[in-house]
Amino acid sequence: MTRHVEHVMGTVFSFDLRHSGGHDDAEPYVAEAVAWLHHVDEVFSTYKPDSPVSRLGRGEIALADCPPEVADILRMCESVSDRSRGYFTAYPGGRLDPSAIVKGWAVERASAMLREAGVPDHCVNGGGDVRLSGAAVPGRTWRVGVAHPLRPGDLAAVVSGNDLAVATSGTAERGAHVIDPHTGRPATELASVTVIGPDLALADAYATGAFAMGAAAREWVEELDGYEAFAVTATGATWRTSGL
């Protein structure tokens, strides 16, 4: 077993690797994944004024001057924005900020790097957005607790599975920070929404879009192929989609 914790992108990333893939020393592969996360931070950080995304947002450079992954991310953002009727956007508050998809995308790629290196059984957690791969131990699924947004220290749900992405958007860590693009005001109908599916980049973006939607999110997620959701409302009630 290999465990590693890394502070990057303004949050904490943790790696939990099981060695059933035949690697006794997975540290070099973790180091590669960590280097990737720092690269993503350098490119996409909205807090670093000299990052390509910051400079693009200020109009100092063109998209063609950015690393190619910036165009890839913006295309993904546009696709999710269309799918979510504009509730997800790369321009919250009118400013370029694709962070709501970047973290999940970065973790998804880090997980893929580990699988490609022959370490299939692992969990990568980026600030509460989790990619589960393979098994925790042979014959046993991973289990991930979802923090209750209104009761600190309590769990709202436990998700178990072998190959899953789990992303949560809510008020527990950062308060009411998700903006409803249609009103320009913070979304307040939900306290948290967790989206579960095969890809963490999309789960991350869908969770943000669903949170902004509020009560309409349940019906919307029902229509998404391969994704399910669990939510806690601002009053403490809960709901889940039919396939969860």
Side-chain angles (χ1 to χ4, degrees):
M1 182 184 299
T2 298
R3 287 198 170 114
H4 179 83
V5 174
E6 189 75 12
H7 293 263
V8 60
M9 297 188 206
T11 190
V12 177
F13 287 73
S14 63
F15 293 79
D16 184 348
L17 283 64
R18 309 304 166 96
H19 293 172
S20 57
H23 290 294
D24 292 329
D25 181 13
E27 287 291 350
Y29 310 112
V30 173
E32 290 178 12
V34 165
W36 157 251
L37 296 177
H38 282 281
H39 166 74
V40 172
D41 192 31
E42 291 298 321
V43 172
F44 288 97
S45 175
T46 58
Y47 296 97
K48 297 180 179 181
D50 59 344
S51 76
V53 161
S54 291
R55 297 184 65 203
L56 178 66
R58 293 194 300 268
E60 296 175 3
I61 58 175
L63 184 58
D65 301 318
C66 297
E69 54 261 39
V70 176
D72 293 340
I73 283 291
L74 293 184
R75 278 193 295 270
M76 291 174 66
C77 287
E78 186 174 354
S79 174
V80 176
S81 180
D82 290 344
R83 211 170 301 161
S84 66
R85 305 187 295 276
Y87 279 100
F88 176 88
T89 177
Y91 296 88
R95 183 174 70 99
L96 176 61
D97 183 1
S99 303
I101 201 170
V102 165
K103 180 155 63 75
W105 170 77
V107 172
E108 184 69 34
R109 178 60 192 143
S111 175
M113 291 169 69
L114 294 172
R115 287 194 299 276
E116 290 162 6
V119 188
D121 301 314
H122 60 261
C123 169
V124 184
N125 183 336
D129 293 337
V130 183
R131 185 60 166 89
L132 307 171
S133 178
V137 296
R140 185 177 300 175
T141 61
W142 294 97
R143 289 169 57 84
V144 176
V146 177
H148 199 294
L150 304 177
R151 298 201 298 265
D154 286 356
L155 294 180
V158 176
V159 178
S160 62
N162 287 344
D163 285 290
L164 284 178
V166 183
T168 298
S169 182
T171 59
E173 297 295 327
R174 297 171 55 193
H177 68 284
V178 176
I179 302 297
D180 177 349
H182 297 297
T183 66
R185 296 190 297 270
T188 57
E189 289 185 2
L190 299 178
S192 76
V193 59
T194 298
V195 174
I196 300 142
D199 181 273
L200 190 56
L202 289 179
D204 196 7
Y206 289 161
T208 300
F211 191 91
M213 279 181 205
R218 183 176 186 175
E219 183 178 348
W220 177 67
V221 178
E222 290 278 11
E223 299 170 358
L224 296 175
D225 187 25
Y227 291 83
E228 304 291 342
F230 169 85
V232 180
T233 72
T235 62
T238 63
W239 57 254
R240 66 188 65 204
T241 52
S242 58
L244 190 60

